[in-house]
PDB file of all heavy atoms in Angstrom:
ATOM      1  N   SER R   1      77.124  -3.391-162.609  1.00 77.00           N
ATOM      2  CA  SER R   1      76.495  -4.077-161.482  1.00 77.00           C
ATOM      3  C   SER R   1      76.644  -5.589-161.612  1.00 77.00           C
ATOM      4  O   SER R   1      76.969  -6.303-160.649  1.00 77.00           O
ATOM      5  CB  SER R   1      75.032  -3.736-161.280  1.00 77.00           C
ATOM      6  OG  SER R   1      74.406  -4.534-160.406  1.00 77.00           O
ATOM      7  N   ALA R   2      76.474  -6.094-162.783  1.00 74.00           N
ATOM      8  CA  ALA R   2      76.686  -7.565-163.021  1.00 74.00           C
ATOM      9  C   ALA R   2      78.107  -7.985-162.812  1.00 74.00           C
ATOM     10  O   ALA R   2      78.397  -9.063-162.141  1.00 74.00           O
ATOM     11  CB  ALA R   2      76.173  -7.947-164.374  1.00 74.00           C
ATOM     12  N   TRP R   3      79.020  -7.129-163.264  1.00 68.00           N
ATOM     13  CA  TRP R   3      80.500  -7.503-163.100  1.00 68.00           C
ATOM     14  C   TRP R   3      80.869  -7.404-161.603  1.00 68.00           C
ATOM     15  O   TRP R   3      81.530  -8.346-161.152  1.00 68.00           O
ATOM     16  CB  TRP R   3      81.299  -6.481-163.831  1.00 68.00           C
ATOM     17  CG  TRP R   3      82.753  -6.565-163.784  1.00 68.00           C
ATOM     18  CD1 TRP R   3      83.500  -7.455-164.319  1.00 68.00           C
ATOM     19  CD2 TRP R   3      83.693  -5.929-162.745  1.00 68.00           C
ATOM     20  NE1 TRP R   3      84.934  -7.429-163.909  1.00 68.00           N
ATOM     21  CE2 TRP R   3      84.947  -6.338-162.937  1.00 68.00           C
ATOM     22  CE3 TRP R   3      83.375  -4.829-161.753  1.00 68.00           C
ATOM     23  CZ2 TRP R   3      85.988  -5.985-162.225  1.00 68.00           C
ATOM     24  CZ3 TRP R   3      84.509  -4.376-161.163  1.00 68.00           C
ATOM     25  CH2 TRP R   3      85.789  -4.910-161.313  1.00 68.00           C
ATOM     26  N   VAL R   4      80.307  -6.474-160.758  1.00 69.00           N
ATOM     27  CA  VAL R   4      80.589  -6.352-159.431  1.00 69.00           C
ATOM     28  C   VAL R   4      80.059  -7.671-158.643  1.00 69.00           C
ATOM     29  O   VAL R   4      80.738  -8.281-157.838  1.00 69.00           O
ATOM     30  CB  VAL R   4      80.162  -5.121-158.765  1.00 69.00           C
ATOM     31  CG1 VAL R   4      80.145  -5.160-157.326  1.00 69.00           C
ATOM     32  CG2 VAL R   4      80.854  -3.908-159.306  1.00 69.00           C
ATOM     33  N   THR R   5      78.892  -8.002-159.081  1.00 79.00           N
ATOM     34  CA  THR R   5      78.216  -9.101-158.451  1.00 79.00           C
ATOM     35  C   THR R   5      79.069 -10.460-158.683  1.00 79.00           C
ATOM     36  O   THR R   5      79.234 -11.252-157.810  1.00 79.00           O
ATOM     37  CB  THR R   5      76.840  -9.324-158.946  1.00 79.00           C
ATOM     38  OG1 THR R   5      76.072  -8.097-158.550  1.00 79.00           O
ATOM     39  CG2 THR R   5      76.104 -10.533-158.281  1.00 79.00           C
ATOM     40  N   ARG R   6      79.457 -10.727-159.963  1.00 80.00           N
ATOM     41  CA  ARG R   6      80.213 -11.876-160.269  1.00 80.00           C
ATOM     42  C   ARG R   6      81.529 -11.858-159.544  1.00 80.00           C
ATOM     43  O   ARG R   6      81.998 -12.832-159.093  1.00 80.00           O
ATOM     44  CB  ARG R   6      80.573 -11.927-161.953  1.00 80.00           C
ATOM     45  CG  ARG R   6      79.271 -12.481-162.682  1.00 80.00           C
ATOM     46  CD  ARG R   6      79.851 -12.780-163.981  1.00 80.00           C
ATOM     47  NE  ARG R   6      80.443 -11.761-164.752  1.00 80.00           N
ATOM     48  CZ  ARG R   6      79.843 -10.834-165.483  1.00 80.00           C
ATOM     49  NH1 ARG R   6      78.610 -10.792-165.599  1.00 80.00           N
ATOM     50  NH2 ARG R   6      80.636  -9.909-166.094  1.00 80.00           N
ATOM     51  N   ARG R   7      82.216 -10.719-159.444  1.00 81.00           N
ATOM     52  CA  ARG R   7      83.388 -10.697-158.676  1.00 81.00           C
ATOM     53  C   ARG R   7      83.182 -10.981-157.187  1.00 81.00           C
ATOM     54  O   ARG R   7      84.009 -11.641-156.590  1.00 81.00           O
ATOM     55  CB  ARG R   7      83.934  -9.117-158.824  1.00 81.00           C
ATOM     56  CG  ARG R   7      85.304  -8.970-158.346  1.00 81.00           C
ATOM     57  CD  ARG R   7      86.101  -7.939-159.063  1.00 81.00           C
ATOM     58  NE  ARG R   7      87.346  -7.599-158.524  1.00 81.00           N
ATOM     59  CZ  ARG R   7      88.433  -8.230-158.886  1.00 81.00           C
ATOM     60  NH1 ARG R   7      88.475  -9.095-159.837  1.00 81.00           N
ATOM     61  NH2 ARG R   7      89.647  -7.885-158.280  1.00 81.00           N
ATOM     62  N   GLU R   8      82.099 -10.393-156.716  1.00 83.00           N
ATOM     63  CA  GLU R   8      81.878 -10.762-155.235  1.00 83.00           C
ATOM     64  C   GLU R   8      81.628 -12.258-155.073  1.00 83.00           C
ATOM     65  O   GLU R   8      82.118 -12.873-153.999  1.00 83.00           O
ATOM     66  CB  GLU R   8      80.684  -9.975-154.807  1.00 83.00           C
ATOM     67  CG  GLU R   8      80.908  -8.506-154.554  1.00 83.00           C
ATOM     68  CD  GLU R   8      79.637  -7.655-154.179  1.00 83.00           C
ATOM     69  OE1 GLU R   8      78.563  -8.201-154.400  1.00 83.00           O
ATOM     70  OE2 GLU R   8      80.008  -6.588-153.836  1.00 83.00           O
ATOM     71  N   VAL R   9      80.985 -12.837-155.880  1.00 83.00           N
ATOM     72  CA  VAL R   9      80.707 -14.344-155.910  1.00 83.00           C
ATOM     73  C   VAL R   9      81.955 -15.114-155.967  1.00 83.00           C
ATOM     74  O   VAL R   9      82.172 -16.007-155.140  1.00 83.00           O
ATOM     75  CB  VAL R   9      79.611 -14.772-157.021  1.00 83.00           C
ATOM     76  CG1 VAL R   9      79.713 -16.291-157.199  1.00 83.00           C
ATOM     77  CG2 VAL R   9      78.323 -14.218-156.649  1.00 83.00           C
ATOM     78  N   ALA R  10      82.848 -14.608-156.803  1.00 83.00           N
ATOM     79  CA  ALA R  10      84.152 -15.314-156.954  1.00 83.00           C
ATOM     80  C   ALA R  10      85.006 -15.192-155.685  1.00 83.00           C
ATOM     81  O   ALA R  10      85.611 -16.142-155.233  1.00 83.00           O
ATOM     82  CB  ALA R  10      84.958 -14.663-158.091  1.00 83.00           C
ATOM     83  N   TYR R  11      84.956 -13.999-155.026  1.00 83.00           N
ATOM     84  CA  TYR R  11      85.598 -13.837-153.736  1.00 83.00           C
ATOM     85  C   TYR R  11      85.083 -14.802-152.727  1.00 83.00           C
ATOM     86  O   TYR R  11      85.815 -15.493-151.972  1.00 83.00           O
ATOM     87  CB  TYR R  11      85.459 -12.354-153.155  1.00 83.00           C
ATOM     88  CG  TYR R  11      86.260 -11.379-153.800  1.00 83.00           C
ATOM     89  CD1 TYR R  11      85.741 -10.011-154.189  1.00 83.00           C
ATOM     90  CD2 TYR R  11      87.660 -11.595-153.926  1.00 83.00           C
ATOM     91  CE1 TYR R  11      86.630  -9.178-154.655  1.00 83.00           C
ATOM     92  CE2 TYR R  11      88.434 -10.610-154.514  1.00 83.00           C
ATOM     93  CZ  TYR R  11      87.909  -9.383-154.801  1.00 83.00           C
ATOM     94  OH  TYR R  11      88.739  -8.391-155.294  1.00 83.00           O
ATOM     95  N   VAL R  12      83.753 -14.862-152.593  1.00 84.00           N
ATOM     96  CA  VAL R  12      83.148 -15.701-151.688  1.00 84.00           C
ATOM     97  C   VAL R  12      83.345 -17.216-151.861  1.00 84.00           C
ATOM     98  O   VAL R  12      83.704 -17.931-150.939  1.00 84.00           O
ATOM     99  CB  VAL R  12      81.529 -15.476-151.536  1.00 84.00           C
ATOM    100  CG1 VAL R  12      80.848 -16.559-150.763  1.00 84.00           C
ATOM    101  CG2 VAL R  12      81.216 -14.118-151.112  1.00 84.00           C
ATOM    102  N   GLU R  13      83.355 -17.567-153.188  1.00 85.00           N
ATOM    103  CA  GLU R  13      83.623 -18.996-153.476  1.00 85.00           C
ATOM    104  C   GLU R  13      85.208 -19.289-153.119  1.00 85.00           C
ATOM    105  O   GLU R  13      85.420 -20.439-152.611  1.00 85.00           O
ATOM    106  CB  GLU R  13      83.451 -19.253-154.987  1.00 85.00           C
ATOM    107  CG  GLU R  13      81.908 -19.287-155.393  1.00 85.00           C
ATOM    108  CD  GLU R  13      81.588 -19.449-156.678  1.00 85.00           C
ATOM    109  OE1 GLU R  13      82.590 -19.230-157.507  1.00 85.00           O
ATOM    110  OE2 GLU R  13      80.547 -19.639-157.069  1.00 85.00           O
ATOM    111  N   TYR R  14      86.074 -18.431-153.429  1.00 84.00           N
ATOM    112  CA  TYR R  14      87.421 -18.589-153.020  1.00 84.00           C
ATOM    113  C   TYR R  14      87.517 -18.780-151.442  1.00 84.00           C
ATOM    114  O   TYR R  14      88.157 -19.747-151.059  1.00 84.00           O
ATOM    115  CB  TYR R  14      88.278 -17.492-153.459  1.00 84.00           C
ATOM    116  CG  TYR R  14      89.692 -17.612-152.827  1.00 84.00           C
ATOM    117  CD1 TYR R  14      90.640 -18.479-153.311  1.00 84.00           C
ATOM    118  CD2 TYR R  14      90.090 -16.892-151.730  1.00 84.00           C
ATOM    119  CE1 TYR R  14      91.831 -18.634-152.733  1.00 84.00           C
ATOM    120  CE2 TYR R  14      91.217 -16.997-151.144  1.00 84.00           C
ATOM    121  CZ  TYR R  14      92.137 -17.939-151.623  1.00 84.00           C
ATOM    122  OH  TYR R  14      93.405 -18.104-151.000  1.00 84.00           O
ATOM    123  N   LEU R  15      86.894 -17.840-150.761  1.00 85.00           N
ATOM    124  CA  LEU R  15      87.086 -17.855-149.256  1.00 85.00           C
ATOM    125  C   LEU R  15      86.476 -19.247-148.658  1.00 85.00           C
ATOM    126  O   LEU R  15      86.937 -19.697-147.687  1.00 85.00           O
ATOM    127  CB  LEU R  15      86.428 -16.727-148.636  1.00 85.00           C
ATOM    128  CG  LEU R  15      87.205 -15.352-148.940  1.00 85.00           C
ATOM    129  CD1 LEU R  15      86.444 -14.183-148.457  1.00 85.00           C
ATOM    130  CD2 LEU R  15      88.648 -15.439-148.400  1.00 85.00           C
ATOM    131  N   GLU R  16      85.291 -19.617-149.313  1.00 84.00           N
ATOM    132  CA  GLU R  16      84.717 -20.863-148.802  1.00 84.00           C
ATOM    133  C   GLU R  16      85.698 -22.083-149.089  1.00 84.00           C
ATOM    134  O   GLU R  16      85.780 -22.854-148.184  1.00 84.00           O
ATOM    135  CB  GLU R  16      83.378 -21.019-149.494  1.00 84.00           C
ATOM    136  CG  GLU R  16      82.292 -20.150-148.938  1.00 84.00           C
ATOM    137  CD  GLU R  16      80.939 -20.422-149.693  1.00 84.00           C
ATOM    138  OE1 GLU R  16      80.939 -20.859-150.862  1.00 84.00           O
ATOM    139  OE2 GLU R  16      79.891 -20.058-149.151  1.00 84.00           O
ATOM    140  N   ALA R  17      86.315 -22.161-150.236  1.00 86.00           N
ATOM    141  CA  ALA R  17      87.169 -23.201-150.423  1.00 86.00           C
ATOM    142  C   ALA R  17      88.412 -23.174-149.686  1.00 86.00           C
ATOM    143  O   ALA R  17      88.903 -24.163-149.085  1.00 86.00           O
ATOM    144  CB  ALA R  17      87.669 -23.098-151.963  1.00 86.00           C
ATOM    145  N   GLU R  18      88.883 -21.907-149.330  1.00 86.00           N
ATOM    146  CA  GLU R  18      90.035 -21.698-148.457  1.00 86.00           C
ATOM    147  C   GLU R  18      89.668 -22.244-147.032  1.00 86.00           C
ATOM    148  O   GLU R  18      90.350 -22.882-146.297  1.00 86.00           O
ATOM    149  CB  GLU R  18      90.574 -20.294-148.440  1.00 86.00           C
ATOM    150  CG  GLU R  18      91.692 -20.168-147.489  1.00 86.00           C
ATOM    151  CD  GLU R  18      92.067 -18.488-147.628  1.00 86.00           C
ATOM    152  OE1 GLU R  18      91.338 -17.788-147.266  1.00 86.00           O
ATOM    153  OE2 GLU R  18      93.186 -18.397-148.077  1.00 86.00           O
ATOM    154  N   ASN R  19      88.417 -21.868-146.674  1.00 84.00           N
ATOM    155  CA  ASN R  19      87.884 -22.227-145.238  1.00 84.00           C
ATOM    156  C   ASN R  19      87.896 -23.736-145.090  1.00 84.00           C
ATOM    157  O   ASN R  19      88.269 -24.287-144.194  1.00 84.00           O
ATOM    158  CB  ASN R  19      86.576 -21.579-145.098  1.00 84.00           C
ATOM    159  CG  ASN R  19      86.011 -21.550-143.657  1.00 84.00           C
ATOM    160  OD1 ASN R  19      86.826 -22.062-142.858  1.00 84.00           O
ATOM    161  ND2 ASN R  19      84.873 -21.122-143.425  1.00 84.00           N
ATOM    162  N   ARG R  20      87.311 -24.438-146.175  1.00 83.00           N
ATOM    163  CA  ARG R  20      87.209 -25.870-146.197  1.00 83.00           C
ATOM    164  C   ARG R  20      88.607 -26.562-146.110  1.00 83.00           C
ATOM    165  O   ARG R  20      88.769 -27.541-145.229  1.00 83.00           O
ATOM    166  CB  ARG R  20      86.510 -26.406-147.438  1.00 83.00           C
ATOM    167  CG  ARG R  20      84.977 -26.389-147.393  1.00 83.00           C
ATOM    168  CD  ARG R  20      84.331 -27.197-148.643  1.00 83.00           C
ATOM    169  NE  ARG R  20      84.859 -26.630-149.816  1.00 83.00           N
ATOM    170  CZ  ARG R  20      84.353 -25.695-150.499  1.00 83.00           C
ATOM    171  NH1 ARG R  20      83.336 -24.939-150.065  1.00 83.00           N
ATOM    172  NH2 ARG R  20      84.675 -25.329-151.790  1.00 83.00           N
ATOM    173  N   SER R  21      89.662 -26.005-146.836  1.00 85.00           N
ATOM    174  CA  SER R  21      90.928 -26.568-146.787  1.00 85.00           C
ATOM    175  C   SER R  21      91.552 -26.313-145.399  1.00 85.00           C
ATOM    176  O   SER R  21      92.097 -27.291-144.893  1.00 85.00           O
ATOM    177  CB  SER R  21      91.761 -25.809-147.835  1.00 85.00           C
ATOM    178  OG  SER R  21      91.252 -25.962-149.194  1.00 85.00           O
ATOM    179  N   LEU R  22      91.362 -25.179-144.859  1.00 84.00           N
ATOM    180  CA  LEU R  22      91.969 -24.916-143.443  1.00 84.00           C
ATOM    181  C   LEU R  22      91.273 -25.714-142.447  1.00 84.00           C
ATOM    182  O   LEU R  22      91.927 -26.238-141.564  1.00 84.00           O
ATOM    183  CB  LEU R  22      91.885 -23.381-143.149  1.00 84.00           C
ATOM    184  CG  LEU R  22      92.757 -22.519-144.081  1.00 84.00           C
ATOM    185  CD1 LEU R  22      92.495 -21.098-143.698  1.00 84.00           C
ATOM    186  CD2 LEU R  22      94.314 -22.864-143.732  1.00 84.00           C
ATOM    187  N   ARG R  23      90.013 -25.847-142.475  1.00 82.00           N
ATOM    188  CA  ARG R  23      89.178 -26.583-141.492  1.00 82.00           C
ATOM    189  C   ARG R  23      89.681 -28.142-141.655  1.00 82.00           C
ATOM    190  O   ARG R  23      89.614 -28.838-140.481  1.00 82.00           O
ATOM    191  CB  ARG R  23      87.796 -26.432-141.831  1.00 82.00           C
ATOM    192  CG  ARG R  23      86.865 -26.926-140.737  1.00 82.00           C
ATOM    193  CD  ARG R  23      85.492 -26.624-140.842  1.00 82.00           C
ATOM    194  NE  ARG R  23      85.147 -25.813-142.011  1.00 82.00           N
ATOM    195  CZ  ARG R  23      84.129 -25.879-142.800  1.00 82.00           C
ATOM    196  NH1 ARG R  23      83.179 -26.807-142.435  1.00 82.00           N
ATOM    197  NH2 ARG R  23      83.948 -25.131-143.866  1.00 82.00           N
ATOM    198  N   SER R  24      89.887 -28.666-142.804  1.00 83.00           N
ATOM    199  CA  SER R  24      90.327 -30.056-142.896  1.00 83.00           C
ATOM    200  C   SER R  24      91.609 -30.358-142.298  1.00 83.00           C
ATOM    201  O   SER R  24      91.849 -31.522-141.854  1.00 83.00           O
ATOM    202  CB  SER R  24      90.255 -30.503-144.343  1.00 83.00           C
ATOM    203  OG  SER R  24      91.477 -29.871-144.980  1.00 83.00           O
ATOM    204  N   GLN R  25      92.407 -29.295-142.062  1.00 85.00           N
ATOM    205  CA  GLN R  25      93.594 -29.423-141.298  1.00 85.00           C
ATOM    206  C   GLN R  25      93.650 -29.374-139.904  1.00 85.00           C
ATOM    207  O   GLN R  25      94.584 -29.678-139.200  1.00 85.00           O
ATOM    208  CB  GLN R  25      94.648 -28.400-141.858  1.00 85.00           C
ATOM    209  CG  GLN R  25      94.926 -28.549-143.347  1.00 85.00           C
ATOM    210  CD  GLN R  25      95.890 -27.476-143.804  1.00 85.00           C
ATOM    211  OE1 GLN R  25      96.688 -26.860-142.977  1.00 85.00           O
ATOM    212  NE2 GLN R  25      95.636 -26.938-145.038  1.00 85.00           N
ATOM    213  N   LEU R  26      92.445 -28.911-139.282  1.00 82.00           N
ATOM    214  CA  LEU R  26      92.221 -28.993-137.930  1.00 82.00           C
ATOM    215  C   LEU R  26      92.094 -30.271-137.248  1.00 82.00           C
ATOM    216  O   LEU R  26      91.246 -31.023-137.755  1.00 82.00           O
ATOM    217  CB  LEU R  26      91.057 -28.024-137.522  1.00 82.00           C
ATOM    218  CG  LEU R  26      91.204 -26.549-137.953  1.00 82.00           C
ATOM    219  CD1 LEU R  26      89.855 -25.843-137.640  1.00 82.00           C
ATOM    220  CD2 LEU R  26      92.334 -25.894-137.156  1.00 82.00           C
ATOM    221  N   PRO R  27      92.882 -30.631-136.181  1.00 85.00           N
ATOM    222  CA  PRO R  27      92.719 -31.901-135.567  1.00 85.00           C
ATOM    223  C   PRO R  27      91.333 -32.071-134.742  1.00 85.00           C
ATOM    224  O   PRO R  27      90.876 -33.184-134.630  1.00 85.00           O
ATOM    225  CB  PRO R  27      93.911 -31.921-134.622  1.00 85.00           C
ATOM    226  CG  PRO R  27      94.258 -30.623-134.345  1.00 85.00           C
ATOM    227  CD  PRO R  27      93.967 -29.822-135.579  1.00 85.00           C
ATOM    228  N   GLY R  28      90.857 -30.977-134.171  1.00 83.00           N
ATOM    229  CA  GLY R  28      89.669 -30.993-133.439  1.00 83.00           C
ATOM    230  C   GLY R  28      88.880 -29.792-133.584  1.00 83.00           C
ATOM    231  O   GLY R  28      88.941 -29.048-134.571  1.00 83.00           O
ATOM    232  N   LYS R  29      88.075 -29.452-132.549  1.00 80.00           N
ATOM    233  CA  LYS R  29      87.319 -28.211-132.590  1.00 80.00           C
ATOM    234  C   LYS R  29      88.354 -27.042-132.456  1.00 80.00           C
ATOM    235  O   LYS R  29      89.235 -27.008-131.682  1.00 80.00           O
ATOM    236  CB  LYS R  29      86.361 -28.249-131.392  1.00 80.00           C
ATOM    237  CG  LYS R  29      85.224 -29.138-131.537  1.00 80.00           C
ATOM    238  CD  LYS R  29      84.386 -29.367-130.349  1.00 80.00           C
ATOM    239  CE  LYS R  29      83.901 -27.838-129.853  1.00 80.00           C
ATOM    240  NZ  LYS R  29      83.006 -28.002-128.747  1.00 80.00           N
ATOM    241  N   PRO R  30      88.065 -25.961-133.255  1.00 82.00           N
ATOM    242  CA  PRO R  30      88.962 -24.757-133.061  1.00 82.00           C
ATOM    243  C   PRO R  30      88.700 -24.008-131.880  1.00 82.00           C
ATOM    244  O   PRO R  30      87.709 -24.046-131.300  1.00 82.00           O
ATOM    245  CB  PRO R  30      88.512 -23.929-134.376  1.00 82.00           C
ATOM    246  CG  PRO R  30      87.080 -24.398-134.692  1.00 82.00           C
ATOM    247  CD  PRO R  30      87.050 -25.869-134.209  1.00 82.00           C
TER     248      PRO R  30
END
């Protein structure tokens, strides 16, 4: 259970970082 939770947290952190990177490339409102 602890391993699965850490893995899920890692997925979410990656997706949040990717989201921030993509959002910074947007010229205006999506």
Side-chain angles (χ1 to χ4, degrees):
S1 174
W3 177 79
V4 168
T5 300
R6 279 195 307 271
R7 190 153 173 90
E8 288 174 345
V9 167
Y11 281 136
V12 170
E13 288 174 349
Y14 168 78
L15 291 172
E16 286 178 337
E18 183 179 60
N19 193 4
R20 277 192 304 276
S21 297
L22 292 172
R23 193 173 353 147
S24 71
Q25 297 175 33
L26 295 174
K29 287 173 51 173

